[in-house]
Amino acid sequence: MTSTRQFHMNDLFRFNNVNLDVLTETYNMPFYLQYMSKWPELFTVAEAPDNSIMGYMLGKSEGSDTLWHGHVSAVTVAPLYRRLGLAKTLMEDLESTSSNVYNAFFVDLFVRASNTLAINMYEKFGYVKYRRVLGYYSGDDPEDAWDMRKALARDDKKQSVIPMDRPVLPQELEW
């Protein structure tokens, strides 16, 4: 049986089976430590009965006024445990915390425009393509991103998810 819990410091030494995958963004240690100290309730792990890490969610809260929201920085599941519903469980946990603890208007995430598998998964979870961000991903393989959003209970008119009619540049992002 799978269990979910807050990410612990020692998990940083135990999650290579999840992070060493081409579909997963890997960050430096200070990045993970910042999330653990500022938003511990939005940094969760799915753990197998043998205590191995099956996947994790890295999230935060940010913005102001009607742009106050939860943000998915990373959600990833080890290849061995994909297609079991773990990503959905981790996403629902972040959405619930964003709504019930942070009273956010929506949850957002950025995904590579070419990652149709992930885009389709997020759309099944109720996310919409809010806007395209030109050149969001830089480096050896520069690429656009989709900013995808899902309205939460506080946004009862779903104003936060009305798609923009034009793409934006990274410097135009609010946060």
Side-chain angles (χ1 to χ4, degrees):
M1 180 173 175
T2 303
S3 60
T4 57
R5 60 168 174 78
Q6 282 188 359
F7 199 92
H8 299 149
M9 182 94 55
N10 288 340
D11 293 332
L12 292 168
F13 304 107
R14 301 178 49 236
F15 71 166
N16 281 345
N17 66 313
V18 179
N19 265 16
L20 298 178
D21 175 68
V22 296
L23 299 177
T24 300
E25 288 286 333
T26 301
Y27 304 99
N28 57 39
M29 284 290 183
F31 187 86
Y32 294 108
L33 295 172
Q34 176 186 18
Y35 276 71
M36 248 191 300
S37 66
K38 289 188 174 180
W39 306 282
E41 61 285 337
L42 294 175
F43 195 176
T44 56
V45 63
E47 196 170 55
D50 67 358
N51 295 326
S52 62
I53 295 177
M54 303 166 75
Y56 67 88
M57 164 66 70
L58 183 64
K60 63 182 177 178
S61 58
E62 62 186 358
S64 61
D65 301 319
T66 60
L67 293 178
W68 179 246
H69 65 284
H71 176 74
V72 177
S73 297
V75 59
T76 187
V77 175
L80 182 63
Y81 300 108
R82 292 192 180 139
R83 303 210 177 275
L84 300 175
L86 292 177
K88 183 174 177 37
T89 298
L90 292 166
M91 293 290 289
E92 287 173 345
D93 183 60
L94 182 131
E95 292 162 10
S96 175
T97 303
S98 294
S99 185
N100 299 326
V101 175
Y102 289 102
N103 198 26
F105 286 89
F106 61 94
V107 169
D108 82 338
L109 58 89
F110 294 93
V111 60
R112 288 184 180 273
S114 65
N115 192 345
T116 55
L117 192 65
I119 292 167
N120 291 336
M121 178 186 72
Y122 295 131
E123 287 176 335
K124 285 180 188 169
F125 296 167
Y127 286 76
V128 299
K129 292 177 183 173
Y130 174 69
R131 60 186 167 184
R132 191 175 188 111
V133 184
L134 303 174
Y136 181 80
Y137 293 100
S138 59
D140 294 338
D141 191 17
E143 187 174 350
D144 296 350
W146 280 109
D147 176 359
M148 298 186 75
R149 292 184 176 187
K150 181 176 184 177
L152 298 176
R154 187 172 181 194
D155 183 11
D156 56 349
K157 293 185 174 66
K158 303 199 182 310
Q159 295 294 308
S160 63
V161 296
I162 298 171
M164 291 185 69
D165 57 359
R166 68 171 184 86
V168 298
L169 297 170
Q171 58 266 30
E172 295 177 82
L173 296 173
E174 296 84 3
W175 41 88

